[in-house]
């Protein structure tokens, strides 16, 4: 659709050689030019067709910069930098002046009289029509920073707080009912196009009573929270106890020896396997350091039969007291388990996948973990925290009983659209999530839904006055997030072909306020500069923001499908607590009860929520409204080179292809941004070509396969502690465990082909632009 429009603009602008022929114009269009000459108003010769009108954002004047040194995020205007003006560059979008011809006085008089009569007649009609008809909406306003400021100033902390409190008043109903209430809220705040999208999916829910852990030596029975088993019906049906489980775990009872594997790293497994036979035993595993699904896959391969999972108190932030709280985790990598890789629509084949692992997995509280390792309650000292560890002497035999139930349920997504005025077929997606069938996950769902609702209200208010973004903004509230991002996966799989072509970026609002210590911005490499710019814009009066650096690390939430299956640039802003230990990464995989983390205690004034909403809005407005997408190709090449620094593999081919990628990205950055830098030279067809290249920058970095829990998009690192490609790091660790280099060779090939594919993609983009220019000259 967009391409047809561009071609129409080209034809209208007179690129045909036949229309450029002076003799043909002089003979065939003589009368038209005569009329035009006499009736022409001042400035008429500068008019442009609609397809060529661009909404300039005020950043066209960018200084020329040297190519070296080049830093990933040091230049806020890096995507428009190094744009040397070429004296030989010729604009092909200037209309020729009409030819001069004599016209008789009588013809001029006739035309003048006709125009005067029509003018008076129009005034009369307009006068009476104005009385009867409402005034039309305001004309399209230009997109610029002033407009952004007007929109964002409508976002206020007290408004977000009121929305948040209204959401918490929702009774714990079915997912469809909560989604319908969110839909009504969005529509009442001015978003006209809002839809409810339902999917029937396979969920793993708690059984009729809580799972239990029994010490065989003493016969003591414990619930996951650490309290002793009770026959009290109220206790048995406690939501906190029922939802302390691992969704999609194997079911049944296992009696075996407990083996402490600490964080379940390769070194931990090598150490444990050298001491004892682990077949069918139960691992005592700490949450953190690496993705849970990855660690469970290693334990399953080693032969374990069960896992007790807990969060060490030394890894938890000091501001939270979660030692006596069990939690929920999901073992689902994403989407409806019964329809892997395709949407759960009517008529789809349902696979029988009741369990996603052979392991019996049970999350337990730190209090129960301390009882199992026989440590006293006061082992945590005020000045120093001692990590939990099973004593080397004596065997612990336990019995683990898990009885969750799989059943089909309906989950709902709320999808709202604010249509774009220039490129309506290009989507910027903002995603949050809502409560899904259980009381766990804290109050993050209400927090994220309140922020996205306040943002909708601000944008809709401006839209009523005639403003529209250039690209369509899609607002999404996902269902089924706690069970493995099911809602977002099913919707994206349902619309996969459309989204592959149309999605420009994904902006995440997954649990935006998890703490109150520091702002933690995450962005894919091509969006890091934009995230840094938006952060500095919003933090002029905030003292906590300047110290935060934008990184590309794995994040939790519904951005997963868009990053790892569609290769879409993504970003997320959130407030977190300062980590007390570097081991505490991936703790967010645990979903604690509602009362464990109260949002209003973390942010009483909701000023942090307001900051997140404005940062998210700033990024969204720039992506949705700048004529040229604000993505940085060179930052991707720099990220690739940084990921190969200090690499133990040190393969020359990797370093060579990474160097070529940087060289090509530098040429692309400096040479092909010139028409975007100057509105006078900005041609619609050229902007469209440039945006198409920018939109697909990161798709080349999707590998075919990745270990469970690791991103398929290799541009994202595991955490801030590591800078290397996670795929290569895992392969190196795998070699240590299995004494084979087959895995590392396969990983090297995947990374090499990804980098080379990106280099070829950039080069093809350069060639297309070069051919286009040559053809026009």
């Amino acid at each position: 659709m967009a391409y047809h429009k561009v071609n129409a603009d080209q034809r209208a602008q007179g690129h045909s050689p036949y229309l450029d022929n002076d003799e043909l114009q002089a003979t065939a269009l003589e009368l038209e030019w005569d009329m035009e000459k006499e009736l022409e108003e001042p400035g008429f010769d500068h008019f442009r067709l609609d397809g060529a009108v661009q909404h300039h954002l005020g950043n066209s004047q960018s200084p020329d910069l040297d190519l070296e040194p080049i830093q990933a995020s040091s230049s806020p205007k890096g995507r428009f930098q190094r744009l040397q003006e070429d004296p030989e560059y010729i604009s092909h979008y200037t209309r020729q002046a009409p030819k001069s011809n004599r016209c008789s006085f009588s013809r001029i008089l006739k035309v003048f009289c006709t125009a005067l009569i029509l003018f008076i007649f129009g005034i009369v009609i307009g006068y009476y029509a104005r009385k009867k008809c409402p005034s039309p909406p305001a004309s399209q306003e230009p997109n610029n920073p002033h407009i952004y400021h007007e929109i964002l100033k409508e976002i206020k902390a007290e408004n977000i707080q009121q929305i948040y409190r209204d959401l918490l008043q929702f009774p714990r109903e079915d997912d469809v009912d909560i989604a319908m209430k969110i839909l009504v809220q969005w529509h009442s705040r001015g978003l006209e196009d809002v839809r409810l999208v339902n999917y029937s999916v396979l969920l793993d829910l708690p059984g009729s009573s809580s799972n239990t852990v029994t010490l065989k030596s003493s016969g003591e029975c414990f619930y996951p929270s650490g309290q002793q088993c009770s026959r009290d019906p109220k206790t048995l049906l406690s939501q906190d106890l029922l939802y302390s489980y691992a969704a999609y775990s194997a079911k049944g009872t296992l009696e075996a020896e407990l083996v402490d594997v600490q964080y379940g790293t390769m070194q931990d497994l090598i150490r444990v396997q050298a001491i004892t036979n682990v077949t069918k035993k139960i691992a005592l595993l700490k949450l953190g350091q690496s993705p849970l699904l990855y660690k469970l896959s290693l334990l399953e391969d080693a032969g374990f039969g069960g896992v007790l999972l807990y969060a060490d108190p030394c890894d938890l932030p000091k501001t939270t007291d979660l030692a006596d709280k069990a939690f929920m985790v999901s073992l689902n990598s994403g989407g409806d388990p019964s329809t892997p890789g395709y949407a759960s629509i009517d008529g789809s084949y349902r696979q029988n996948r009741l369990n996603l692992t052979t392991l019996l997995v049970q999350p337990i509280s730190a209090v129960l973990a301390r009882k199992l390792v026989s440590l006293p309650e006061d082992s945590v000292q005020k000045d120093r925290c001692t990590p939990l560890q099973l004593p080397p002497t004596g065997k612990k035999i336990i019995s683990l009983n898990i009885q969750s139930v799989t059943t089909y349920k309906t989950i709902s997504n709320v999808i709202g659209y604010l249509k774009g005025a220039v490129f309506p077929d290009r989507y910027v997606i903002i995603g949050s999530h809502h409560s899904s069938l259980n009381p766990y996950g804290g109050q993050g769902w209400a927090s994220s839904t309140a922020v996205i609702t306040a943002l909708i209200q601000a944008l809709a208010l401006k839209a009523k006055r005639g403003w529209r973004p250039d690209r369509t903004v899609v607002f999404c509230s996902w269902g089924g997030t706690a069970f493995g991002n099911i809602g977002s996966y099913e919707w994206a799989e349902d619309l996969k072909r459309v989204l592959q072509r149309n999605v420009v970026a994904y902006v995440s609002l997954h649990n935006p306020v998890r703490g109150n210590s520091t702002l933690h911005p995450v962005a894919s490499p091509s969006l890091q500069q934009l995230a840094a710019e938006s952060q500095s814009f919003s933090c002029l009066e905030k003292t906590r923001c300047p110290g935060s650096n934008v990184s590309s690390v794995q994040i939790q939430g519904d951005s997963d499908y868009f990053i790892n299956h569609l290769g879409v640039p993504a970003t997320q802003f959130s407030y977190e607590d300062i980590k007390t230990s570097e081991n505490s990464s991936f703790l967010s995989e645990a979903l604690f009860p509602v009362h464990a983390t109260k949002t209003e205690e973390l942010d009483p004034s909701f000023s942090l929520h307001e900051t997140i909403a404005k940062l998210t809005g700033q990024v969204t407005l720039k992506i949705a409204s700048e004529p040229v997408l604000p993505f940085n190709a060179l930052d991707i090449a720099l990220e690739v080179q940084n990921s190969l620094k200090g690499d133990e593999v040190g393969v020359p081919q990797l370093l060579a292809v990474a160097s070529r990628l940087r060289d090509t990205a530098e040429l692309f950055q400096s040479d092909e941004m010139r028409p975007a830098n100057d509105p006078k030279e900005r041609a619609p067809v050229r902007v469209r070509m440039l945006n198409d290249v920018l939109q697909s920058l990161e798709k080349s970095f999707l590998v075919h396969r990745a270990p469970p829990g690791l991103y398929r998009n290799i541009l994202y690192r595991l955490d801030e502690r590591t800078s290397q490609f996670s795929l290569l790091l895992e392969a190196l660790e795998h070699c240590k465990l299995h004494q084979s280099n087959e895995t590392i060779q396969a990983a090297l090939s995947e990374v090499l082909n990804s980098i080379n594919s990106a280099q070829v993609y950039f080069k093809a983009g350069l060639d297309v632009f070069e051919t286009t220019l040559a053809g026009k000259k």
Side-chain angles (χ1 to χ4, degrees):
M1 183 185 297
Y3 298 156
H4 294 168
K5 183 176 180 180
V6 169
N7 290 335
D9 291 341
Q10 283 182 275
R11 290 192 296 269
Q13 287 175 304
H15 287 294
S16 171
Y18 299 103
L19 296 181
D20 290 334
N21 188 293
D22 290 344
E23 295 181 1
L24 181 61
Q25 290 177 341
T27 55
L29 303 178
E30 183 174 1
L31 286 177
E32 286 81 350
W33 284 126
D34 290 340
M35 182 72 72
E36 185 179 15
K37 179 66 177 179
E38 299 299 330
L39 296 180
E40 185 179 56
E41 296 179 0
F44 180 81
D45 59 327
H46 298 291
F47 99 112
R48 291 186 297 175
L49 295 176
D50 289 343
V53 174
Q54 301 297 327
H55 305 288
H56 181 48
L57 298 180
N59 59 353
S60 66
Q61 299 301 324
S62 179
D64 296 334
L65 303 177
D66 291 332
L67 202 59
E68 299 293 342
I70 300 170
Q71 297 297 332
S73 59
S74 61
S75 172
K77 303 297 180 185
R79 58 185 179 275
F80 293 148
Q81 66 187 356
R82 297 177 292 280
L83 304 177
Q84 300 284 30
E85 290 297 327
D86 186 352
E88 297 182 0
Y89 184 76
I90 301 173
S91 173
H92 298 273
Y93 305 94
T94 304
R95 184 170 180 173
Q96 291 183 353
K99 292 181 178 291
S100 176
N101 286 282
R102 295 182 178 179
C103 184
S104 65
F105 177 77
S106 60
R107 177 174 295 181
I108 295 175
L109 185 60
K110 289 179 182 180
V111 170
F112 177 76
C113 293
T114 303
L116 183 62
I117 294 172
L118 291 175
F119 177 72
I120 296 173
F121 187 62
I123 290 178
V124 173
I125 293 177
Y127 175 76
Y128 288 101
R130 184 180 180 88
K131 284 186 174 184
K132 298 180 180 180
C133 302
S135 59
S139 60
Q140 175 76 21
E141 298 183 45
N143 292 311
N144 56 49
H146 177 68
I147 300 299
Y148 302 164
H149 179 73
E150 286 187 359
I151 294 173
L152 298 179
K153 74 178 182 181
E154 298 295 333
I155 301 174
K156 298 180 175 63
E158 56 269 21
N159 187 28
I160 300 175
Q161 185 178 36
Q162 186 58 52
I163 297 171
Y164 172 84
R165 290 176 175 174
D166 291 344
L167 291 169
L168 290 184
Q169 298 305 312
F170 289 175
R172 301 235 166 252
E173 297 171 322
D174 191 73
D175 188 80
V176 179
D177 295 328
I178 294 178
M180 180 59 71
K181 291 183 177 180
I182 293 174
L183 182 147
V184 172
Q185 273 205 352
W186 288 8
H187 194 273
S188 67
R189 283 170 167 79
L191 192 60
E192 297 178 357
D193 189 357
V194 192
R195 310 167 190 177
L196 199 67
V197 185
N198 298 330
Y199 297 97
S200 178
V201 299
L202 185 66
L203 300 182
D204 192 26
L205 301 174
S208 57
S209 59
S210 174
N211 299 335
T212 58
V213 178
T214 304
L215 277 172
K216 299 305 294 182
S217 59
S218 61
E220 291 180 285
C221 173
F222 298 98
Y223 292 132
S225 62
Q227 67 185 97
Q228 290 193 336
C229 298
S230 169
R231 295 183 180 179
D232 183 1
K234 292 184 179 180
T235 304
L236 288 173
L237 297 176
S238 167
Q239 293 290 298
D240 285 1
L241 295 179
L242 291 178
Y243 279 90
S244 299
Y245 79 115
Y248 306 103
S249 163
K251 286 81 174 170
T253 302
L254 175 64
E255 182 177 317
E257 178 186 349
L258 190 64
V259 178
D260 189 359
V261 296
Q262 289 294 298
Y263 292 98
T265 63
M266 289 289 186
Q267 290 80 0
D268 291 329
L269 290 180
I270 293 172
R271 171 182 54 81
V272 168
Q273 288 182 313
I275 299 173
T276 181
N277 180 14
V278 300
T279 305
K280 295 301 179 183
K281 293 185 178 179
I282 299 175
L284 184 62
L285 175 67
K286 292 182 181 181
L287 196 67
Q289 280 203 0
S290 57
L292 174 61
L293 294 184
Y294 174 64
K295 297 192 290 188
L296 292 181
S297 69
L298 296 179
L299 296 176
E300 190 173 15
D301 290 342
F304 280 93
V307 176
L308 291 182
L309 179 66
Y310 71 101
D312 195 304
C314 298
D315 294 337
L316 294 170
K318 295 179 180 179
T319 55
T320 58
D321 184 17
L322 304 175
D324 61 339
K325 303 292 189 301
F327 50 91
M328 173 192 172
V329 295
S330 175
L331 310 186
N332 180 15
S333 60
D336 177 13
S338 68
T339 58
Y342 53 96
S344 298
I345 59 176
D346 292 342
S348 294
Y349 170 67
R350 306 283 180 166
Q351 299 185 22
N352 185 21
R353 302 181 73 199
L354 303 182
N355 309 324
L356 299 182
T357 177
T358 60
L359 297 170
L360 276 77
V361 182
Q362 177 59 53
I364 61 173
S365 68
V367 169
L368 180 54
R370 187 177 289 111
K371 291 178 179 179
L372 295 178
V373 300
S374 302
L375 286 177
E377 293 290 334
D378 58 351
S379 60
V380 179
Q381 302 174 3
K382 292 183 179 181
D383 57 340
R384 184 173 59 89
C385 184
T386 304
L388 297 182
Q389 188 172 1
L390 194 67
T393 58
K395 291 184 178 181
K396 292 275 186 180
I397 306 296
I398 66 170
S399 177
L400 177 59
N401 179 36
I402 295 178
Q403 47 183 345
S404 55
V405 178
T406 53
T407 183
Y408 282 95
K409 291 279 187 179
T410 299
I411 61 100
S412 300
N413 299 324
V414 187
I415 312 294
Y417 297 86
L418 179 60
K419 290 295 179 64
V422 182
F423 308 109
D425 62 335
R426 291 296 181 260
Y427 307 151
V428 181
I429 298 179
I430 309 178
S432 65
H433 68 283
H434 54 261
S435 182
S436 299
L437 304 172
N438 67 75
Y440 270 45
Q443 297 173 346
W445 75 271
S447 178
S448 63
T449 305
V451 171
I452 195 173
T453 303
L455 184 56
I456 286 172
Q457 186 172 357
L459 290 170
L461 182 63
K462 195 67 176 175
K464 285 183 178 179
R465 300 170 184 168
W467 171 87
R468 286 278 171 173
D470 284 3
R471 300 173 183 87
T472 297
V473 181
V474 185
F475 304 93
C476 305
S477 182
W478 308 114
T481 299
F483 294 93
N485 307 321
I486 292 180
S488 57
Y489 260 74
E490 295 311 307
W491 183 77
E493 287 172 348
D494 199 1
L495 280 70
K496 184 176 181 179
R497 296 291 179 246
V498 176
L499 299 179
Q500 282 177 331
R501 182 184 69 251
N502 291 355
V503 175
V504 170
Y506 186 91
V507 184
S508 174
L509 278 170
H510 182 76
N511 295 354
V513 180
R514 307 163 197 171
N516 53 15
S517 298
T518 183
L519 181 68
H520 184 235
V522 175
S524 57
S526 60
L527 279 176
Q528 283 187 4
Q529 283 198 23
L530 178 60
E533 291 174 24
S534 300
Q535 184 180 331
S536 62
F537 165 84
S538 180
C539 296
L540 294 177
E541 299 178 0
K542 310 287 183 182
T543 57
R544 297 176 182 174
C545 298
S548 302
N549 294 319
V550 185
S551 59
S552 299
V553 295
Q554 293 192 192
I555 54 179
Q556 300 299 312
D558 292 282
S559 58
D560 180 76
Y561 190 91
F562 300 91
I563 293 173
N564 290 305
H565 295 270
L566 299 179
V568 172
T571 186
Q572 172 183 284
F573 296 95
S574 62
Y575 272 96
E576 297 184 356
D577 285 317
I578 297 175
K579 303 288 194 299
T580 57
S581 167
E582 64 178 13
N583 297 332
S584 59
S585 57
F586 294 99
L587 287 183
S588 57
E589 293 177 320
L591 301 178
F592 285 92
V594 161
H595 56 266
T597 52
K598 292 186 177 179
T599 300
E600 294 203 65
E601 292 179 1
L602 293 173
D603 186 20
S605 65
F606 274 72
S607 60
L608 303 184
H609 285 77
E610 180 183 330
T611 299
I612 296 296
K614 289 186 175 180
L615 284 169
T616 302
Q618 176 77 0
V619 167
T620 303
L621 285 169
K622 285 199 170 186
I623 299 174
S625 294
E626 288 201 4
V628 176
L629 290 171
F631 299 164
N632 197 305
L634 184 56
D635 280 356
I636 295 180
L638 294 172
E639 187 78 10
V640 169
Q641 285 194 321
N642 291 334
S643 298
L644 294 174
K645 287 181 180 178
D647 197 347
E648 296 181 27
V649 181
V651 177
Q653 291 92 331
L654 274 178
L655 300 175
V657 73
S659 179
R660 289 199 299 272
L661 173 63
R662 174 170 174 166
D663 292 342
T664 308
E666 286 178 354
L667 284 174
F668 182 86
Q669 192 88 349
S670 59
D671 292 355
E672 303 313 328
M673 287 295 186
R674 174 176 48 202
N677 191 44
D678 188 354
K680 295 179 181 178
E681 304 293 344
R682 186 181 292 151
V685 64
R686 194 177 176 96
V687 170
R688 193 273 301 167
M689 290 165 54
L690 183 59
N691 282 337
D692 283 354
V693 174
L694 292 171
Q695 183 177 330
S696 300
L697 288 178
E698 299 188 14
K699 288 179 171 58
S700 297
F701 296 96
L702 299 181
V703 297
H704 294 93
R705 289 177 302 276
L710 271 64
Y711 272 14
R712 286 182 57 212
N713 189 328
I714 63 174
L715 293 175
Y716 289 78
R717 307 189 303 273
L718 276 176
D719 50 45
E720 276 92 353
R721 294 178 294 126
T722 58
S723 61
Q724 287 83 11
F725 288 118
S726 56
L727 190 69
L728 294 181
L729 287 177
E730 189 280 332
L732 287 169
E733 294 294 316
H734 194 274
C735 290
K736 298 176 183 177
L737 183 63
H738 296 279
Q739 302 296 317
S740 170
N741 66 349
E742 182 178 346
T743 304
I744 188 64
Q745 293 300 324
L748 282 170
S749 178
E750 288 269 25
V751 173
L752 179 66
N753 280 291
S754 294
I755 301 174
N756 184 66
S757 175
Q759 193 272 332
V760 170
Y761 178 78
F762 283 138
K763 183 64 168 59
L766 286 168
D767 291 343
V768 168
F769 279 102
E770 200 172 292
T771 303
T772 304
L773 278 179
K776 291 183 181 301
K777 289 182 179 180

